Amino acid sequence: MIRKHTRRAAKAAFAISFGVAIIIGVFAGAARSSPTAGPTIVIGTKNFGEEYILGALYQQALQAKGFHVVNKGDLGPTENIQTALTSGKINFYPEYTGVIVQDVFHKASSASSARATYNEAKKLERTKGYTLLAMTPFYDTDVIAVTNATAKKYGLKSISDLSKVGSYSFAGQPECKTRNTCLVGYEKQYGIGHPKFVAVGSVSAYTLLDQGKALAADVFSTDPPLGKNSKYTVLTDPKHVTGFQNVAPIVKASVASSAGSKFAATVNAVSAKLTIPAIVAMNKAFYVNQESAASIAKAFLKANGLL
Amino acid sequence: MTAAGPVIPNFGKASACITDNRAFCWGWVRAHWHDTLEPHLIQHVELTFVAVAIGFALAFVLALLSHRFRRLDQPVAIVAGLIYTIPSLAAFLVVLPIFGISYTTIEVPLTGYSLVLLYPNITAGLRAAPADVLEAAHGMGLTRIQTLWRVELPLAVPAIIGGLRIAAVSTVSIGTIAAIVGGKGLGEPIFIALGAPHPFRTEIYAAGGLVVVLALSLDLVLVVTRRMLVPWTRA
Amino acid sequence: MIFDAANTHAFLEAFRFIADNPGFLAHKALEQLELSGAALGIGAGVALPVGVVLGHFHRGSTLAIGASILGRALPIVVLIAFFLTVLGFGFVNNMCALAVLATGPILTNAYDGVDGVDRDVVEAARGMGMSRFQTLARVELPLAVPLLFTGIRIAAVTVVATAPVAAIAGGGGLGDVIVNQAGYELKGVLGASYCVMALSAGVWAALLALQKAMTPRALRSNRRPSGL
C-alpha cells in the first residue's frame, strides 16, 4: 500500500518537475547569450536546393573567418522571407536581383542588363536600409519548360508559341500565379492564353510534367533536369520577362557596417566563385546525388581555399 | 571577376540506386545517417517530449480542477474539442508570425493538441473509482485529498496511461508537419525529398519509417510502464 | 511585441476574407468534402466489414486495437509522401493516404461494437433458431450502431480536419489557401482555417444527427461515454 503511494507520488512529482524543468529549459535556451565577436549574422534562405546551398556557403565561409553566424534555414518563398527580413528575424539572405526589382518593389523591368538590374536593386534596397553585396557571376531565371514530346507535338520553341495550344495546365510554385516575373508577366507580355494554374506546393514541377498533370511548368534555369541530354525543352524568353537574376546577398546596412570590411570581403570572395557551371554542379550533387547542402558547401569552399 | 574560375570539386558519382531513385538505398541511409537522419530524429524526440510533458502537466491540473468543481468540465471539454478541430497546418502557420521561426512556434500547437487529447482521459480516469469504493473511503474517515491520493489517482492510472499513449503517438505524428515552420523534426527530410525534381524515395521512406518506429516505441514503453504500475489490469 | 497590431488584425480580417470570397471558398470546401468523402468511403468499406466480422467471431482483438494505434502512428505527411511515390500527384494518392487514416477508428469501434454485444442476447437469438448471419444482421449490428457510428464520426472529422495537408501534393481543397500564405496573406490562411473548423464541426453535427436517427429507439436512452 505504501509502495503504491510512493510510486504514484513519484510519478506525479516527476511529471510536474519534468514539465517545469522543460519550461525553464525552453526559456533559457531562447535567451542564449551572444558572443563578443561582432554582430551575429542571422542567415535565412528560400525554399529550394540552390538557396540551401548558398546559405550554407556563406554561413561556413563567414564562420571560418570568425564571425558568429546563425542559419535559420528554409523560411519559405520571397514574400515570407522578406517579412522575416523586415521584421528583423534575419539580417542576411541571398536574393535574386530581378526579383528584388520586380517582386519586392513591384517595379516594371526596365533594366537591359545584369549590371543595370543589380544597380537598380541596390539603389532600391538602400532606401529601406539594406545593403546589397557583390553579385554572383551566375544567374538563375525562371524558365518555362515542357517535355520534349510536347515541344515536338505543338512545335514549341518560344514562350509565345504557347498561344498555339488550346486549353492547358500550367504548373508552378503558388506565388508564381501573382508574380510579374512569372505567370502574370507571361500572360501580359506573350499572350499565352489563360492556362489552368496548378500550384505545386511541396512537390517539384518536373513530377507534374512527367505525369502529364501539366503541359508547361515554371522551373529554374539552373535545375539539374535541364542539363545535358535533358528530357525537357526550355522555351525562349526574348523579352526577358523573367528579368536578370544574378544572386546578391541582402544585408541589413547597420549589421554590414558594424561587421566591418572583412565581412563584405569574405562574402564577396565566395560570390565571385559562383559561376553557372559551379552552381549547376552543386545543384546536381544536391538533387541527383542526394548530398546535403552543408557537405556540398564544405567541399566547394575547401576546394577553393575559402575554408 | 577575379583571375581564375572556381575549382569545382568532384562531388562523386552517386550509386545507380540513388540516380535511378530505386525503392530503398541503404548506402544513402548509411552515408547520411549522421548529417540528416539522426539530427532530425533527435529534434523530433525533443519536440515530442516537451509537448507531452507540458501538455500532461497542464491537463492534469485542469482535470483536478474539473474533478473538484464539476461545473468546469462541460466548458473545458467543449473548448478542448474545438481546439482539436483546428487544422494542424493552420495552427503552426498562425503561431509563426507571433513567435517567429523558433521551437516555441512548434511547441505551442503541439502542446495544445497534447493537452486536449490528455484531458478527457485523465478526467475519465479520475471518475473510474466505483461509488462503493469511494463510500468505503469516506466511511474510513479519509479526507477529500486523501481519497484522491490513495484511491482515485491509483485507479486512474490505466486511463491516464491510455491518454499518454494517444498523446505521445499523435504528437509524433503531428510533429512531422512542424517542418513547414522551421525545418525541425523528421518532417524536414521528407519535405526536402518531396521537392526534388523526382521525389527521392529512400529519404522519404527512411524518415517516414523512423517516425513510425518512434511512435510505436513510445507506445510500447508506455504499455510496459502500465504493466509495471498496475500489473493486474489487462489491455 | 508578441501580439503586434498586424497579427491581431489578421484574425479579424479573416472574416472579411471569408465574406469577400464566398464562392471561391465554397468551391474549395466542396473539393475538400469530395476528397474526404472518397477517403472515408474507402476506409469504411475496408474497415467496417473487417471490424464487424472480427467482432462477431470475437477474434483478432489485437488487430483491432493495433489498427487504431497504427492509424495514429502513421503521420499524414508520411502517408501522402509514400502514396505520391507510388501513385503520383493528384487526387488518388491523397485519397488513399486519408483512407488509411480513416480505417483506424472505424475498425476499432466496429470491433468493439459487435464484440461488446451482450453474449446472453446473442445466445438467445441463436437459441431462437437464427443463423449466424441473421444474428449479426438483426441483433448484433443494431446493438452496435452507437459505437459503429462513433467510429465513423471520429474518422470523418479526422479526415476532414487533416485534408488541408493534402494540398502539398495536389489534393486541392481549402488547404490550397492555407499553404499559399504568399498568395492569400495571413488573413486568407486564417479565413480558410475557420472554414475547415466549421466544416469539421458541421460534419460532426450531421453525422451525430444521422446516428441519432439510425439508433434503434430502444437504445436511444443509453448514454455511452465517448472519447471526443
Side-chain angles (χ1 to χ4, degrees), chain A residues 77 79-80 174-175 198-203 208 211 213, chain C residues 84 87-90 167-169 179-184:
Chain A
E79 290 76 2
N80 292 9
E175 54 274 8
V198 180
V200 291
S202 298
V203 179
L208 274 79
Q211 293 174 6
K213 295 275 162 62
Chain C
L84 182 92
L87 295 171
F89 179 94
I168 63 174
V179 299
N180 190 2
Q181 187 166 346
Y184 296 103

Side-chain angles (χ1 to χ4, degrees), chain A residues 21 78 138 190 204 207 239:
Chain A
T78 311
F138 89 89
Y190 287 110
S204 157
T207 311
K239 295 190 193 174

Side-chain angles (χ1 to χ4, degrees), chain A residues 8 28 30 46 52-53 88 118 145 148 153-154 172 174 185 192 195 202 210 213 216 224 237 242 271:
Chain A
R8 287 255 68 235
K46 302 208 294 196
Y52 302 149
I53 294 172
Y118 172 77
N148 289 342
K153 180 171 173 195
Y154 294 98
I192 60 170
S202 298
D210 289 342
K213 295 275 162 62
D237 173 20
T242 53
S271 301

